[in-house]
Amino acid sequence: MFHKVKNVTPYLDYTIYVEFQNGEKRNYDINPLFSKWMPFNSLKEINGLFQQVKVDTGGYGISWNDEIDLECNELYYNGVETE
């Protein structure tokens, strides 16, 4: 089962607020990914790139460019539930 993304909002501290199509909301911290996956470092190095996050077609994930993306279930299961 996919937990499709409806909307995503970036915050200045490299976290994102994710709204899912089922109405649930999560905060997801990108910071741990900087040391784990090298392409994510571009989000810090390229001015303004982090704020350009968008929901992929169909809501199956989010992306910043062709090299940096996260799938919907990663965001759902590893995000922190919020209201």
Side-chain angles (χ1 to χ4, degrees):
M1 176 177 168
F2 290 101
H3 298 279
K4 293 183 181 181
V5 176
K6 178 181 177 183
N7 192 37
V8 62
T9 304
Y11 293 135
L12 294 176
D13 62 353
Y14 296 104
T15 61
I16 53 175
Y17 175 76
V18 184
E19 297 177 61
F20 294 89
Q21 291 181 6
N22 65 4
E24 294 187 53
K25 299 167 180 77
R26 303 264 196 278
N27 284 321
Y28 185 91
D29 188 359
I30 302 294
N31 286 287
L33 303 180
F34 294 135
S35 61
K36 188 173 183 179
W37 305 103
M38 296 313 292
F40 279 87
N41 286 311
S42 296
L43 298 176
K44 290 192 299 186
E45 296 166 357
I46 299 173
N47 191 26
L49 180 60
F50 185 72
Q51 288 73 29
Q52 295 178 22
V53 64
K54 64 184 181 299
V55 177
D56 291 339
T57 303
Y60 290 100
I62 62 169
S63 62
W64 287 268
N65 59 28
D66 290 339
E67 296 178 4
I68 308 170
D69 59 21
L70 290 167
E71 68 103 24
C72 59
N73 286 346
E74 166 67 18
L75 298 166
Y76 185 85
Y77 290 116
N78 293 307
V80 177
E81 191 171 357
T82 187
E83 293 185 19

